[in-house]
Amino acid sequence: MRYSTITIFATIAAACGVPAHLVEKDIPSKTAITNVHVWNGAGFSAPSTVVIIDSIITNANTADAETTVDGRGGYLMPGYIDSHCHVTSCSYLTAMRANGITTALDMGTFPVSAVTACRAEGVTDIYGTGAAGTVNGTAISKIPGFPQDSFLASPEAARTFVANRIQEGASWIKVFLDPLGPDEETLSTVVAAAHAAGIKVVTHATSYADYSEAQTAGADIPCHVPLDKPLDAASIQNLTSAHRHVVPTLIMMQSIVNNTRTPYIAYTAAAEGSVTAMNAAGVSIAVGTDANTSPYVPANPPFGTSFHAELALLVAAGLTPTQALQGATSVAAHAFGLYDRGSISPGLRADLVLLSADPTVNIANSKSIEYVWLAGVQFTPGAYLEVLLCFNRKPVRLYGENGW
Ligand SMILES: *[C@@H]1O[C@H](CO)[C@@H](O)[C@H](O)[C@H]1NC(C)=O
Ligand SMILES: *[C@@H]1O[C@H](CO)[C@@H](O)[C@H](O)[C@H]1NC(C)=O
Ligand SMILES: *[C@@H]1O[C@H](CO)[C@@H](O)[C@H](O)[C@H]1NC(C)=O
């Protein structure tokens, strides 16, 4: 028998006298969240009430609600979406959930069934690309067990790669751009095959040339930002005219610069500077961390906490807190075609985060998490801390500037 973390904590919590509703996983059929400022896509409403029935947000009234959660004047956001992570173990979803991330977009774990197998009630939802397309000899091609049908040696191989990934259940196609290849014709073939199947193409693009190559091939979503030189007006014009969404992963770029002792100007001028310029030009920016534990990449942003670090870096690069929060919710949902989430609207999945403080005033308040709902299943991050700390009989809430 497998004990869930929730069961174990519920048992300890009961011993500590923590109210059971803080830790128990249960799905009431109707929940009213009262006295909350509700995210409307561009800010917060005056205090009101949101009603959930089972896993869905509704416009039903509060009559006969089995559960009422007093939001105490807090701020209700759609659940956060991490648009770039590498969930090579389902256990990583625990830290994501505690940080308000209700959807994880995996950008390379193979086979894709390894990530879809993580889906469970009360757990961060997940989608993936499966193995990225690349050529023999790149860093990712050396990961043990890397599937050979992801080697893009020719347009013919590109067609097989796309067909195989789609058959496996990939939600998007990912291509790793690198000086080694694939060549332009092969990349264009990947894009054409994916688009013919109605699927978007995500690229790993960490240089100015990678961005140009991606744009020339018509690839949809560039991930990362250049570390060699900032995107210029010509490059950004390509992004705006094609209405591209970009996932900069600034926390990854900054961590790479630090870990490889690259002069810090590579971060400030190229990476951060590209985000500043793209945002000023109106490019839609989604929040992704590149959280991973791989020994094959130069940095390993931690799961969960790095999401809040990314929000802060995007704001430092010039996004308003509201734009960064859109990148964490509606912009991400739109970019990746997840139309059942990303907003607080009737009919959408009840993926929600209740904050105690206004994140549009200070983006660090994105961490002031009171409760998380995952398709209507309530989770209380604070309960973990209270349970751990109750051994001292000193329940304390640790969040906000201290992070966790
Ligand atoms: C990839 O390159 C390695 C080293 O050159 C070689 O041993 C291997 O056979 C190549 N794999 C494919 C699929 O071409
Ligand atoms: C802009 O896109 C065109 C093709 O649409 C491409 O040829 C060109 O290289 C791109 N320029 C930059 C700077 O990305
Ligand atoms: C990288 O180094 C800069 C400058 O020293 C520092 O401000 C920043 O916090 C570091 N970032 C990471 C992710 O370690």
Side-chain angles (χ1 to χ4, degrees):
M1 168 161 182
R2 220 171 123 257
Y3 294 96
S4 75
T5 323
I6 289 166
T7 311
I8 292 165
F9 275 103
T11 308
I12 301 171
C16 291
V18 171
H21 75 270
L22 288 178
V23 284
E24 262 174 17
K25 192 169 75 160
D26 82 48
I27 315 178
S29 59
K30 190 173 188 181
T31 299
I33 307 169
T34 61
N35 190 20
V36 280
H37 301 271
V38 180
W39 179 253
N40 62 18
F44 289 101
S45 72
S48 69
T49 295
V50 169
V51 177
I52 303 171
I53 296 184
D54 291 331
S55 62
I56 303 293
I57 298 163
T58 79
N59 56 10
N61 64 31
T62 59
D64 306 323
E66 281 90 344
T67 307
T68 299
V69 176
D70 180 0
R72 294 183 294 174
Y75 296 82
L76 192 68
M77 288 290 303
Y80 302 140
I81 299 170
D82 187 336
S83 291
H84 196 119
C85 51
H86 296 272
V87 184
T88 44
S89 160
C90 298
S91 64
Y92 301 156
L93 296 175
T94 304
M96 299 185 90
R97 177 179 60 187
N99 281 277
I101 300 164
T102 54
T103 304
L105 308 186
D106 183 279
M107 294 291 144
T109 299
F110 57 83
V112 73
S113 57
V115 301
T116 54
C118 299
R119 291 177 186 160
E121 196 179 276
V123 169
T124 297
D125 196 19
I126 186 162
Y127 295 83
T129 62
T134 186
V135 295
N136 198 5
T138 59
I140 62 162
S141 76
K142 293 174 183 153
I143 297 173
F146 190 83
Q148 305 220 331
D149 69 354
S150 271
F151 287 151
L152 301 173
S154 65
E156 191 45 47
R159 280 185 280 271
T160 304
F161 160 69
V162 171
N164 288 357
R165 295 292 82 77
I166 291 173
Q167 205 205 349
E168 260 175 27
S171 298
W172 310 281
I173 294 294
K174 166 131 184 240
V175 184
F176 189 82
L177 300 182
D178 185 274
L180 287 177
D183 64 32
E184 199 65 57
E185 188 193 352
T186 302
L187 180 59
S188 296
T189 305
V190 169
V191 173
H195 287 178
I199 285 196
K200 287 188 178 177
V201 177
V202 177
T203 49
H204 165 103
T206 56
S207 71
Y208 182 94
D210 291 344
Y211 261 74
S212 294
E213 192 187 351
Q215 288 313 296
T216 304
D220 302 282
I221 307 173
C223 292
H224 315 298
V225 271
L227 281 175
D228 55 346
K229 60 175 179 165
L231 297 172
D232 58 12
S235 178
I236 291 170
Q237 171 65 37
N238 273 1
L239 296 169
T240 51
S241 61
H243 306 288
R244 299 282 179 232
H245 296 78
V246 172
V247 187
T249 70
L250 282 178
I251 185 62
M252 181 57 162
M253 308 327 282
Q254 192 186 62
S255 303
I256 291 172
V257 166
N258 289 5
N259 287 3
T260 57
R261 299 178 194 281
T262 306
Y264 198 62
I265 191 163
Y267 177 74
T268 51
E272 184 183 47
S274 293
V275 171
T276 304
M278 284 191 286
N279 184 54
V283 177
S284 297
I285 290 170
V287 179
T289 59
D290 210 357
N292 76 88
T293 57
S294 172
Y296 296 88
V297 296
N300 306 121
F303 286 88
T305 52
S306 62
F307 192 84
H308 301 284
E310 180 69 15
L311 284 167
L313 290 177
L314 291 170
V315 168
L319 276 72
T320 62
T322 295
Q323 286 176 318
L325 294 163
Q326 289 166 336
T329 56
S330 53
V331 166
H334 186 82
F336 290 91
L338 300 170
Y339 298 113
D340 63 344
R341 67 196 74 195
S343 308
I344 302 180
S345 309
L348 296 196
R349 249 174 92 94
D351 285 347
L352 300 164
V353 182
L354 178 60
L355 305 177
S356 61
D358 186 348
T360 64
V361 169
N362 178 353
I363 194 62
N365 292 336
S366 64
K367 292 179 280 193
S368 66
I369 299 169
E370 297 271 339
Y371 301 109
V372 183
W373 285 267
L374 306 108
V377 178
Q378 184 178 331
F379 171 77
T380 310
Y384 276 81
L385 290 170
E386 285 177 2
V387 166
L388 293 171
L389 295 169
C390 78
F391 293 112
N392 300 338
R393 302 277 165 221
K394 259 199 285 180
V396 193
R397 287 266 170 140
L398 300 176
Y399 44 60
E401 288 297 336
N402 293 326
W404 57 291

